[in-house]
Amino acid sequence: MAKHQELRSKVKEILKIVEQFTIKVNSLSYEEQKIELEKYKSYLSIKQKPQEEKDLPDIPNRPERVVTRFAPNPDGPLHIGNLRAAVLSYKYAKKYGGKFILRFEDTDPKIKPPLLKAYDWIQEDLKWLGLEWDELYIQSDRLELYYEYARRLIANDDAYVCECTQEVFKNYKNSGLACPHRDRKDSLVLFEKMIAGNIEEGKAVLRLKTSMHESNPALRDPPLMRVIDTRKHPHPRIGSKYYVFPLYNFSAALDDSLMGVTLIFRGKEHLTNSLIQTEIQKKLGLSTPFS
Ligand SMILES: [Zn+2]
Protein backbone atom coordinates (compact mmCIF):
# COMPACT_ATOMS: atom_id res chain seq x y z
CA MET A 1 0.00 0.00 0.00
CA ALA A 2 2.78 2.40 0.91
CA LYS A 3 4.52 1.79 -2.37
CA HIS A 4 1.35 2.02 -4.40
CA GLN A 5 -0.28 5.34 -3.59
CA GLU A 6 -2.92 4.79 -6.25
CA LEU A 7 -4.24 1.78 -4.35
CA ARG A 8 -5.12 3.85 -1.32
CA SER A 9 -8.26 5.22 -2.89
CA LYS A 10 -9.35 1.68 -3.56
CA VAL A 11 -8.94 0.34 -0.07
CA LYS A 12 -12.62 -0.49 0.20
CA GLU A 13 -12.65 -2.50 -2.98
CA ILE A 14 -9.45 -4.28 -2.07
CA LEU A 15 -10.82 -5.12 1.34
CA LYS A 16 -13.89 -6.54 -0.29
CA ILE A 17 -11.78 -8.77 -2.51
CA VAL A 18 -9.63 -9.84 0.41
CA GLU A 19 -12.71 -10.49 2.49
CA GLN A 20 -14.33 -12.63 -0.20
CA PHE A 21 -11.08 -14.44 -0.67
CA THR A 22 -10.74 -15.08 3.05
CA ILE A 23 -14.24 -16.48 3.31
CA LYS A 24 -13.51 -18.79 0.42
CA VAL A 25 -10.16 -19.91 1.82
CA ASN A 26 -11.61 -20.46 5.28
CA SER A 27 -14.26 -22.71 3.83
CA LEU A 28 -11.52 -25.08 2.66
CA SER A 29 -9.91 -27.76 4.79
CA TYR A 30 -6.23 -27.41 5.65
CA GLU A 31 -5.31 -29.98 2.99
CA GLU A 32 -7.38 -28.16 0.38
CA GLN A 33 -5.75 -24.88 1.33
CA LYS A 34 -2.34 -26.40 0.82
CA ILE A 35 -3.31 -27.65 -2.61
CA GLU A 36 -4.73 -24.26 -3.63
CA LEU A 37 -1.61 -22.52 -2.39
CA GLU A 38 0.61 -24.80 -4.44
CA LYS A 39 -1.38 -23.87 -7.54
CA TYR A 40 -1.06 -20.20 -6.82
CA LYS A 41 2.67 -20.35 -6.31
CA SER A 42 3.23 -20.85 -9.99
CA TYR A 43 0.31 -18.65 -11.07
CA LEU A 44 1.40 -15.66 -9.11
CA SER A 45 4.94 -15.87 -10.38
CA ILE A 46 3.82 -14.81 -13.88
CA LYS A 47 4.91 -11.26 -13.29
CA GLN A 48 8.36 -12.06 -12.04
CA LYS A 49 9.15 -14.92 -14.38
CA PRO A 50 7.49 -14.59 -17.76
CA GLN A 51 9.98 -17.09 -19.19
CA GLU A 52 8.16 -19.81 -17.24
CA GLU A 53 5.54 -19.86 -19.94
CA LYS A 54 7.83 -22.18 -21.83
CA ASP A 55 7.35 -24.75 -19.07
CA LEU A 56 3.59 -25.04 -19.52
CA PRO A 57 2.81 -28.57 -20.59
CA ASP A 58 2.03 -28.85 -24.28
CA ILE A 59 -1.55 -29.49 -25.31
CA PRO A 60 -1.74 -32.50 -27.60
CA ASN A 61 -3.85 -32.03 -30.74
CA ARG A 62 -4.23 -28.36 -30.01
CA PRO A 63 -5.74 -26.13 -32.68
CA GLU A 64 -3.33 -24.45 -35.04
CA ARG A 65 -4.43 -20.97 -34.06
CA VAL A 66 -4.92 -20.62 -30.31
CA VAL A 67 -7.62 -18.21 -29.18
CA THR A 68 -8.65 -18.46 -25.53
CA ARG A 69 -11.18 -16.60 -23.47
CA PHE A 70 -11.86 -15.77 -19.87
CA ALA A 71 -15.58 -15.26 -19.37
CA PRO A 72 -16.54 -14.17 -15.85
CA ASN A 73 -19.94 -13.01 -14.68
CA PRO A 74 -19.30 -9.50 -13.34
CA ASP A 75 -21.41 -10.12 -10.24
CA GLY A 76 -18.48 -9.78 -7.85
CA PRO A 77 -14.70 -9.67 -7.70
CA LEU A 78 -12.46 -12.39 -9.09
CA HIS A 79 -12.17 -15.47 -6.91
CA ILE A 80 -10.06 -18.57 -6.71
CA GLY A 81 -12.46 -20.54 -8.87
CA ASN A 82 -12.35 -18.30 -11.94
CA LEU A 83 -8.80 -17.08 -11.49
CA ARG A 84 -7.49 -20.49 -12.47
CA ALA A 85 -9.30 -20.34 -15.81
CA ALA A 86 -8.05 -16.78 -16.37
CA VAL A 87 -4.42 -17.67 -15.77
CA LEU A 88 -4.48 -20.83 -17.89
CA SER A 89 -6.27 -19.09 -20.74
CA TYR A 90 -3.85 -16.19 -20.71
CA LYS A 91 -0.72 -18.29 -20.40
CA TYR A 92 -1.63 -20.71 -23.16
CA ALA A 93 -2.57 -17.87 -25.50
CA LYS A 94 0.88 -16.37 -24.89
CA LYS A 95 2.68 -19.71 -25.13
CA TYR A 96 1.27 -20.37 -28.60
CA GLY A 97 1.37 -16.78 -29.83
CA GLY A 98 -2.42 -16.61 -29.89
CA LYS A 99 -5.11 -14.28 -28.65
CA PHE A 100 -6.67 -13.89 -25.19
CA ILE A 101 -10.23 -12.59 -25.00
CA LEU A 102 -11.99 -11.16 -21.95
CA ARG A 103 -15.75 -11.59 -22.13
CA PHE A 104 -18.25 -10.45 -19.52
CA GLU A 105 -21.17 -12.85 -19.27
CA ASP A 106 -23.80 -10.60 -17.78
CA THR A 107 -27.10 -11.91 -19.13
CA ASP A 108 -28.86 -12.84 -15.90
CA PRO A 109 -30.14 -9.62 -14.33
CA LYS A 110 -32.44 -11.56 -12.01
CA ILE A 111 -30.68 -14.51 -10.37
CA LYS A 112 -27.05 -13.41 -10.84
CA PRO A 113 -27.38 -9.68 -11.38
CA PRO A 114 -24.18 -8.02 -12.56
CA LEU A 115 -22.60 -5.36 -10.41
CA LEU A 116 -21.52 -2.22 -12.25
CA LYS A 117 -18.34 -1.90 -10.21
CA ALA A 118 -17.35 -5.51 -10.83
CA TYR A 119 -16.70 -4.82 -14.53
CA ASP A 120 -13.93 -2.47 -13.38
CA TRP A 121 -12.71 -4.60 -10.49
CA ILE A 122 -12.18 -7.60 -12.72
CA GLN A 123 -10.33 -5.57 -15.36
CA GLU A 124 -8.14 -3.95 -12.72
CA ASP A 125 -7.34 -7.28 -11.06
CA LEU A 126 -6.46 -8.93 -14.34
CA LYS A 127 -4.16 -6.05 -15.25
CA TRP A 128 -2.59 -6.18 -11.81
CA LEU A 129 -1.89 -9.89 -12.32
CA GLY A 130 -0.38 -9.12 -15.71
CA LEU A 131 -3.17 -10.87 -17.62
CA GLU A 132 -3.75 -8.32 -20.39
CA TRP A 133 -6.47 -9.22 -22.88
CA ASP A 134 -6.42 -8.59 -26.64
CA GLU A 135 -10.19 -8.14 -27.05
CA LEU A 136 -13.02 -7.26 -24.69
CA TYR A 137 -16.71 -8.12 -25.15
CA ILE A 138 -19.77 -7.58 -23.01
CA GLN A 139 -22.65 -9.96 -23.66
CA SER A 140 -25.36 -7.50 -22.68
CA ASP A 141 -24.28 -5.49 -25.76
CA ARG A 142 -24.92 -8.50 -27.97
CA LEU A 143 -28.56 -9.42 -27.29
CA GLU A 144 -29.76 -8.44 -30.78
CA LEU A 145 -27.17 -10.77 -32.22
CA TYR A 146 -28.43 -13.66 -30.07
CA TYR A 147 -31.99 -12.90 -31.22
CA GLU A 148 -30.84 -13.17 -34.84
CA TYR A 149 -29.39 -16.63 -34.28
CA ALA A 150 -32.49 -17.67 -32.34
CA ARG A 151 -34.68 -16.64 -35.29
CA ARG A 152 -32.45 -18.64 -37.59
CA LEU A 153 -32.86 -21.75 -35.43
CA ILE A 154 -36.65 -21.30 -35.36
CA ALA A 155 -36.76 -20.84 -39.14
CA ASN A 156 -34.83 -24.09 -39.57
CA ASP A 157 -37.21 -25.88 -37.20
CA ASP A 158 -34.33 -26.36 -34.76
CA ALA A 159 -35.95 -24.39 -31.93
CA TYR A 160 -39.46 -23.77 -30.58
CA VAL A 161 -41.21 -21.67 -28.00
CA CYS A 162 -42.32 -23.84 -25.09
CA GLU A 163 -44.99 -22.64 -22.70
CA CYS A 164 -44.73 -25.49 -20.21
CA THR A 165 -43.87 -24.63 -16.64
CA GLN A 166 -40.46 -25.91 -15.55
CA GLU A 167 -42.13 -28.65 -13.51
CA VAL A 168 -44.31 -29.84 -16.37
CA PHE A 169 -41.46 -29.83 -18.88
CA LYS A 170 -39.30 -31.76 -16.45
CA ASN A 171 -41.87 -34.57 -16.47
CA TYR A 172 -41.89 -34.70 -20.27
CA LYS A 173 -38.11 -34.61 -20.31
CA ASN A 174 -37.69 -37.40 -17.78
CA SER A 175 -40.22 -39.59 -19.57
CA GLY A 176 -38.61 -38.90 -22.96
CA LEU A 177 -41.84 -37.44 -24.34
CA ALA A 178 -42.36 -34.35 -26.51
CA CYS A 179 -44.33 -31.51 -24.94
CA PRO A 180 -47.39 -30.22 -26.84
CA HIS A 181 -45.40 -27.21 -28.10
CA ARG A 182 -42.63 -29.10 -29.84
CA ASP A 183 -44.20 -29.20 -33.28
CA ARG A 184 -46.03 -25.90 -33.27
CA LYS A 185 -45.71 -23.65 -36.30
CA ASP A 186 -46.09 -20.27 -34.58
CA SER A 187 -42.82 -20.19 -32.63
CA LEU A 188 -41.45 -17.21 -34.50
CA VAL A 189 -44.56 -15.13 -33.75
CA LEU A 190 -44.38 -16.07 -30.08
CA PHE A 191 -40.66 -15.39 -29.94
CA GLU A 192 -41.27 -11.87 -31.28
CA LYS A 193 -43.93 -11.44 -28.60
CA MET A 194 -41.39 -12.46 -25.97
CA ILE A 195 -38.93 -9.89 -27.33
CA ALA A 196 -41.60 -7.18 -27.36
CA GLY A 197 -42.24 -7.81 -23.67
CA ASN A 198 -45.73 -9.17 -24.29
CA ILE A 199 -45.19 -12.53 -22.65
CA GLU A 200 -44.75 -12.69 -18.90
CA GLU A 201 -41.64 -13.94 -17.22
CA GLY A 202 -41.82 -17.70 -16.62
CA LYS A 203 -44.53 -18.22 -19.24
CA ALA A 204 -42.33 -19.13 -22.21
CA VAL A 205 -38.82 -20.26 -23.11
CA LEU A 206 -37.14 -20.91 -26.41
CA ARG A 207 -35.89 -24.50 -26.60
CA LEU A 208 -33.38 -26.17 -28.88
CA LYS A 209 -34.95 -29.10 -30.71
CA THR A 210 -32.56 -31.99 -30.17
CA SER A 211 -34.29 -35.27 -29.38
CA MET A 212 -36.42 -36.31 -26.44
CA HIS A 213 -34.63 -39.68 -26.53
CA GLU A 214 -31.11 -38.38 -25.80
CA SER A 215 -29.56 -40.70 -23.21
CA ASN A 216 -28.53 -37.68 -21.11
CA PRO A 217 -31.80 -35.95 -20.08
CA ALA A 218 -29.99 -32.59 -19.91
CA LEU A 219 -29.60 -32.79 -23.69
CA ARG A 220 -33.33 -33.21 -24.32
CA ASP A 221 -34.50 -29.91 -25.81
CA PRO A 222 -32.48 -27.63 -23.50
CA PRO A 223 -33.63 -24.02 -23.04
CA LEU A 224 -31.87 -21.28 -25.04
CA MET A 225 -33.60 -18.05 -24.07
CA ARG A 226 -36.11 -16.89 -21.48
CA VAL A 227 -38.06 -13.83 -20.47
CA ILE A 228 -36.78 -11.76 -17.57
CA ASP A 229 -38.99 -8.93 -16.46
CA THR A 230 -36.44 -6.13 -16.47
CA ARG A 231 -39.13 -3.70 -15.35
CA LYS A 232 -38.81 -5.50 -12.00
CA HIS A 233 -35.16 -6.52 -12.36
CA PRO A 234 -33.46 -3.83 -14.46
CA HIS A 235 -30.07 -4.71 -15.88
CA PRO A 236 -27.43 -2.37 -14.41
CA ARG A 237 -25.98 -1.57 -17.84
CA ILE A 238 -28.94 -1.69 -20.21
CA GLY A 239 -31.84 -1.11 -17.84
CA SER A 240 -35.24 -2.31 -19.00
CA LYS A 241 -34.56 -2.11 -22.73
CA TYR A 242 -34.73 -5.91 -23.28
CA TYR A 243 -36.91 -8.69 -21.87
CA VAL A 244 -35.38 -11.78 -23.43
CA PHE A 245 -32.01 -13.05 -22.28
CA PRO A 246 -29.96 -16.07 -23.40
CA LEU A 247 -29.22 -18.94 -21.07
CA TYR A 248 -25.53 -19.47 -20.46
CA ASN A 249 -25.16 -22.30 -22.98
CA PHE A 250 -26.68 -20.36 -25.86
CA SER A 251 -24.66 -17.15 -25.50
CA ALA A 252 -21.44 -19.03 -24.72
CA ALA A 253 -21.88 -21.38 -27.70
CA LEU A 254 -22.52 -18.47 -30.07
CA ASP A 255 -19.79 -16.23 -28.72
CA ASP A 256 -17.13 -18.89 -28.65
CA SER A 257 -17.74 -19.62 -32.33
CA LEU A 258 -18.27 -16.04 -33.46
CA MET A 259 -15.21 -14.78 -31.58
CA GLY A 260 -13.09 -17.55 -33.05
CA VAL A 261 -12.26 -19.13 -29.69
CA THR A 262 -10.43 -22.38 -30.31
CA LEU A 263 -9.31 -23.53 -26.87
CA ILE A 264 -11.32 -23.54 -23.64
CA PHE A 265 -10.31 -24.51 -20.13
CA ARG A 266 -13.38 -25.94 -18.44
CA GLY A 267 -14.00 -27.57 -15.12
CA LYS A 268 -15.44 -31.11 -15.22
CA GLU A 269 -18.82 -29.78 -14.11
CA HIS A 270 -19.08 -28.15 -17.52
CA LEU A 271 -19.09 -31.41 -19.47
CA THR A 272 -22.87 -31.43 -19.99
CA ASN A 273 -22.79 -27.74 -20.82
CA SER A 274 -20.16 -28.29 -23.48
CA LEU A 275 -22.29 -31.06 -25.02
CA ILE A 276 -25.28 -28.70 -25.21
CA GLN A 277 -23.09 -25.97 -26.70
CA THR A 278 -21.77 -28.36 -29.33
CA GLU A 279 -25.36 -29.22 -30.30
CA ILE A 280 -26.18 -25.54 -30.71
CA GLN A 281 -23.08 -24.94 -32.82
CA LYS A 282 -23.81 -27.97 -35.01
CA LYS A 283 -27.36 -26.81 -35.74
CA LEU A 284 -26.06 -23.41 -36.78
CA GLY A 285 -23.15 -24.76 -38.77
CA LEU A 286 -20.68 -23.00 -36.47
CA SER A 287 -17.27 -24.20 -35.34
CA THR A 288 -16.75 -25.91 -31.98
CA PRO A 289 -13.68 -25.05 -29.90
CA PHE A 290 -11.35 -27.65 -28.45
CA SER A 291 -11.73 -28.06 -24.69
ZN1 LIG B 1 -43.82 -27.12 -23.81
Side-chain angles (χ1 to χ4, degrees), residues 160-165 169 172 179-182 184 207:
Y160 62 98
V161 171
C162 169
E163 294 171 274
C164 297
T165 61
F169 188 81
Y172 282 114
C179 85
H181 310 113
R182 198 170 198 267
R184 73 188 326 160
R207 291 191 179 281

Side-chain angles (χ1 to χ4, degrees), residues 185-216:
K185 302 287 173 237
D186 57 347
S187 283
L188 192 56
V189 177
L190 286 164
F191 183 60
E192 298 304 341
K193 272 179 84 175
M194 286 166 70
I195 289 175
N198 294 330
I199 295 187
E200 263 178 68
E201 184 179 306
K203 299 287 185 204
V205 296
L206 183 72
R207 291 191 179 281
L208 185 71
K209 206 184 251 191
T210 56
S211 157
M212 295 312 283
H213 309 296
E214 289 282 350
S215 52
N216 178 351

Side-chain angles (χ1 to χ4, degrees), residues 24-123:
K24 178 89 189 173
V25 169
N26 286 342
S27 71
L28 301 172
S29 71
Y30 177 64
E31 278 311 305
E32 286 171 318
Q33 288 185 20
K34 249 171 62 179
I35 294 166
E36 285 302 329
L37 196 64
E38 274 309 308
K39 289 187 205 158
Y40 272 84
K41 262 193 194 162
S42 55
Y43 292 167
L44 293 175
S45 61
I46 306 165
K47 273 201 143 173
Q48 294 87 352
K49 303 179 203 162
Q51 71 277 13
E52 266 194 11
E53 261 139 49
K54 290 192 198 83
D55 304 331
L56 278 177
D58 254 311
I59 295 177
N61 309 319
R62 69 178 166 86
E64 206 171 309
R65 170 139 175 71
V66 169
V67 179
T68 62
R69 48 84 161 163
F70 174 51
N73 180 350
D75 60 349
L78 284 179
H79 54 82
I80 262 187
N82 54 19
L83 201 46
R84 177 180 176 276
V87 172
L88 283 176
S89 304
Y90 172 83
K91 289 184 89 173
Y92 273 106
K94 293 297 135 186
K95 177 183 170 81
Y96 294 124
K99 198 161 70 176
F100 173 58
I101 292 172
L102 171 60
R103 182 170 83 215
F104 286 116
E105 300 200 331
D106 58 345
T107 59
D108 189 349
K110 189 183 174 187
I111 312 285
K112 290 189 256 175
L115 202 63
L116 266 191
K117 287 203 125 189
Y119 296 84
D120 295 331
W121 287 340
I122 291 172
Q123 292 183 62

Side-chain angles (χ1 to χ4, degrees), residues 16-27:
K16 191 171 155 99
I17 294 167
V18 171
E19 189 191 349
Q20 295 241 352
F21 214 79
T22 312
I23 293 171
K24 178 89 189 173
V25 169
N26 286 342
S27 71

